[in-house]
Amino acid sequence: MRLLRVSATIVASLLLVISASAQNRKEQREERREQRALEVKGQVIRTSPNSIIVQTDDKKEIALQVNAQTKFMMNNKAIELSELKTGSNISVAYVLEGDRHIANTVTLVDARARADQATVIEGQVAKVVGKDQVIITTTEGKEVPIVVTPQTAIEFNAKPVQFTELRAGSPIAVYYDMRDRQYVATKIVGVTALEGKVVRVIGQDQVVLTTSDGKEVVVYISPETRYRLTETGGAFVDLRPGAMVNVYYDVRDRRNIARQIYRPLRRR
């Protein structure tokens, strides 16, 4: 009888250990999910030594906690929290700890870069018309006529080229002004286009794609990268393994820097 009681005690103890271990693994999985990196973009409302209040484009206010590990960056260079001013445009990579938003990296977006974003359009050359117009097909499948003037700068591979060298199918970025309801190009830049499947994301600024011929390509994200992945635009966190995406990018210092990432249009 004593042996049976001892055995029962041992079994009960083992069950408790197994149950506790399973609960611990469950809590760890939940913690890892909670620690998944997120991103928010918006304008600074106010700051304090340990927090930043950000207003997003949809007018929501988010309080982000900063600590000694939080990095502050602008144009890939470290800056100080004190350089964030009311009205500054920032991009914040953060994690959730309970109901707190903990900032990992705060990137101050250069106002000049935002101005460029507002007046740039990417697409493929559909056709060249005469000596002063090019029609491009945008990432949304729309055809947009672009007026080219003698003052328009045209560059491919960081070298100036002539208007006559534009070819149908070439991916380009067009910086423009609106004049009399026309898109008037101030600068046209040749870019690289890529279509592939998301294999994985690395940290908070890289995504690895595999192309149709099986090659893996690493694309870097910058604060100026624009997204068209969801109905509201999307963000880095919307890049999911297995998703097909198109990317327009520049090559800088041997890195593929994404200009725009978007979902391919459905083929009819």
Side-chain angles (χ1 to χ4, degrees):
M1 291 295 293
R2 181 180 298 175
L3 180 59
L4 288 174
R5 284 196 297 271
V6 171
S7 298
T9 301
I10 292 173
V11 170
S13 299
L14 286 173
L15 289 174
L16 285 172
V17 170
I18 292 170
S19 176
S21 178
Q23 179 64 26
N24 187 47
R25 287 196 298 271
K26 180 181 178 182
E27 290 175 354
Q28 288 177 344
R29 287 196 299 270
E30 291 176 349
E31 183 177 354
R32 283 196 294 271
R33 282 197 297 268
E34 196 173 55
Q35 289 287 333
R36 182 170 59 89
L38 301 170
E39 183 181 39
V40 64
K41 296 181 180 181
Q43 287 191 335
V44 174
I45 301 300
R46 59 184 178 276
T47 65
S48 73
N50 56 9
S51 69
I52 305 170
I53 308 300
V54 176
Q55 185 180 68
T56 64
D57 290 340
D58 55 1
K59 305 304 179 183
K60 293 180 180 178
E61 289 192 6
I62 298 177
L64 296 143
Q65 304 297 311
V66 300
N67 53 39
Q69 286 71 48
T70 303
K71 296 179 181 179
F72 298 90
M73 306 292 292
M74 178 176 173
N75 294 332
N76 296 318
K77 295 181 180 179
I79 61 173
E80 300 294 330
L81 170 62
S82 59
E83 296 183 57
L84 302 183
K85 308 297 183 184
T86 299
S88 294
N89 294 292
I90 61 174
S91 172
V92 184
Y94 68 93
V95 295
L96 284 173
E97 291 185 3
D99 59 354
R100 297 191 306 158
H101 301 71
I102 309 298
N104 286 337
T105 304
V106 179
T107 303
L108 177 60
V109 180
D110 190 338
R112 291 170 298 178
R114 288 185 65 87
D116 283 345
Q117 285 185 44
T119 58
V120 66
I121 185 171
E122 288 107 357
Q124 287 192 337
V125 175
K127 58 184 174 181
V128 177
V129 181
K131 298 180 180 180
D132 63 355
Q133 191 177 86
V134 58
I135 297 176
I136 68 170
T137 303
T138 70
T139 58
E140 297 176 338
K142 298 177 181 178
E143 288 198 348
V144 178
I146 306 293
V147 176
V148 179
T149 73
Q151 288 73 43
T152 303
I154 306 176
E155 293 182 2
F156 278 74
N157 299 319
K159 296 179 180 179
V161 300
Q162 301 299 314
F163 175 77
T164 53
E165 296 180 61
L166 293 176
R167 297 286 184 267
S170 297
I172 60 174
V174 179
Y175 295 87
Y176 65 89
D177 293 328
M178 291 300 295
R179 304 176 195 167
D180 298 325
R181 298 184 180 181
Q182 291 183 312
Y183 294 83
V184 180
T186 58
K187 186 176 183 179
I188 297 175
V189 179
V191 297
T192 304
L194 169 70
E195 181 174 349
K197 182 183 291 185
V198 176
V199 178
R200 60 187 178 276
V201 295
I202 302 173
Q204 296 156 13
D205 65 350
Q206 297 175 54
V207 58
V208 180
L209 306 178
T210 181
T211 63
S212 58
D213 55 0
K215 294 181 180 178
E216 285 198 355
V217 179
V218 179
V219 176
Y220 287 80
I221 309 301
S222 78
E224 290 75 44
T225 300
R226 288 167 290 123
Y227 302 89
R228 192 166 59 77
L229 301 170
T230 67
E231 291 182 358
T232 58
F236 180 72
V237 295
D238 295 308
L239 293 169
R240 310 289 188 187
M244 292 296 298
V245 297
N246 283 358
V247 182
Y248 279 113
Y249 66 89
D250 299 317
V251 179
R252 306 177 206 156
D253 299 325
R254 299 184 180 181
R255 290 185 172 188
N256 305 318
I257 310 297
R259 284 174 165 267
Q260 184 177 179
I261 301 177
Y262 63 100
R263 290 197 183 281
L265 295 173
R266 293 181 179 177
R267 294 180 173 85
R268 296 179 180 178

